[in-house]
Amino acid sequence: MKVQNKNHSSLKTKMKIQESFAMLLQEKNEIKNISVTELSKQADITRSTFYTHYSSIYDVAKELEEEALEKLNEIKSKHAIEDIDYYFDHIFNYLKENEHIYTMMLKSNAPLLFVSKLEKSINKKLYDALKNKPIANLNLNITFFTNGCINLIIKYFRKEIKNSLEEIDDYIKHLFKTFFI
């Protein structure tokens, strides 16, 4: 996360590094099993180019996590229930745009910290949207709902279910309205 320059060449190099990281993570199953040398070779760059952009392998994972969470937190709403369709569409559009990376990353055993951060982010958004509704056990309901949603997304990327992201998005929005409204 060293390079702050966002020129086309720099962004292209970072994308190659991130894609190579995701491929190696799928293959190696653990971040600790990936070396900078391996990653540089996979991305067809030099080690010095890698270190121009990142300090370590863990920085690549951290940046991917932060990027995803930042995209999901970009949504500024009035915390109204009516915005929930937009919120879920935003999540699924982002996942669709980056499907190849998340397919590889979520097939490994490494994403537990990311999934935990994602769960907290979605829980907060839903709680903010529903906190003024008279719903018994609101925190339990939100936690249950969010964990189910995240589990569906992980199963999709691990190819354990046949539904498309669009179908999952529609299902989650319908389930949310049935469950909470």
Side-chain angles (χ1 to χ4, degrees), residues 1 6 62-76 87 90 94 102 114 117-118 121:
M1 291 192 275
K6 302 225 181 210
K62 183 177 178 185
E63 184 173 87
L64 284 167
E65 288 176 2
E66 288 174 354
E67 181 181 297
L69 294 171
E70 182 180 308
K71 289 286 185 188
L72 299 179
N73 287 324
E74 278 178 359
I75 302 168
K76 305 292 183 210
Y87 179 67
H90 187 76
Y94 176 78
Y102 288 104
F114 169 69
K117 290 177 184 177
L118 179 62
S121 176

Side-chain angles (χ1 to χ4, degrees), residues 121-172:
S121 176
I122 293 172
N123 277 352
K124 181 178 180 348
K125 180 66 176 180
L126 296 181
Y127 182 79
D128 288 345
L130 296 166
K131 65 185 173 190
N132 295 323
K133 294 274 184 189
I135 300 172
N137 299 309
L138 181 60
N139 285 329
L140 287 175
N141 286 326
I142 290 172
T143 300
F144 181 80
F145 179 80
T146 303
N147 287 341
C149 295
I150 290 172
N151 194 32
L152 284 176
I153 293 167
I154 291 170
K155 287 187 176 299
Y156 168 82
F157 284 115
R158 289 182 174 177
K159 308 291 186 217
E160 294 175 11
I161 57 176
K162 301 289 185 215
N163 303 77
S164 70
L165 276 176
E166 292 82 8
E167 291 171 326
I168 296 169
D169 179 23
D170 289 342
Y171 176 76
I172 287 173

